[in-house]
Amino acid sequence: MKRAIVLYFTTLIVMLPLDFLFLGVIAKNFFQSQVGPLLGDVRIVPAAIFYLGYPIGIVIFASYAAGQNWQHALLYGALFGIFCYATFDLTALALLKGWTWPVTVVDIIWGAFVTGASATLGLLLANLVLRPD
């Protein structure tokens, strides 16, 4: 149980700044130019539910599945990210008139990267924290 809690928090502290940097700085203008009319003010409660819940999925489907192997955490994390982000983006592309293919592709690639990186770095950090003295 202790390992799961440490994995959760180390994954969370990796994922949050990466995603905020990407969405708030790096890709902000891209998303605004592509789907700006669909974007509104951030709704805090759904955002918080996502950011607190998604790392649970990363831990269950990537970190635990990988055991101690960071390469497996990277692979399983990237795959989990592809499936999760593709579910959202392809559904949005199918249903939302203003959603674009470029946003779909960029966001799925980002999902693979941020989830793989979060699973891997979260695992490595957890191993450091839990290392026996």
Side-chain angles (χ1 to χ4, degrees):
M1 183 62 147
K2 179 180 177 182
R3 180 164 181 73
I5 293 168
V6 171
L7 273 170
Y8 172 79
F9 283 107
T10 57
T11 301
L12 179 68
I13 64 168
V14 171
M15 187 190 83
L16 276 177
L18 282 177
D19 210 38
F20 288 173
L21 178 65
F22 180 74
L23 292 174
V25 178
I26 296 169
K28 181 179 182 178
N29 291 337
F30 169 73
F31 281 105
Q32 190 64 42
S33 71
Q34 291 289 311
V35 293
L38 298 174
L39 301 175
D41 293 332
V42 173
R43 295 181 189 165
I44 299 301
V45 172
I49 292 169
F50 170 77
Y51 282 110
L52 294 173
Y54 193 65
I56 295 169
I58 297 171
V59 169
I60 292 169
F61 295 108
S63 305
Y64 257 92
Q68 297 292 321
N69 188 318
W70 70 265
Q71 293 95 337
H72 287 161
L74 178 61
L75 174 64
Y76 297 148
L79 289 172
F80 183 65
I82 288 169
F83 292 124
C84 289
Y85 279 66
T87 299
F88 168 79
D89 284 296
L90 293 172
T91 300
L93 189 60
L95 298 175
L96 301 176
K97 191 174 186 175
W99 202 260
T100 68
W101 273 105
V103 166
T104 299
V105 171
V106 166
D107 203 41
I108 292 171
I109 291 168
W110 173 249
F113 173 80
V114 73
T115 308
S118 298
T120 305
L121 295 174
L123 176 70
L124 294 172
L125 286 171
N127 289 344
L128 285 174
V129 169
L130 296 169
R131 181 176 37 191
D133 292 328

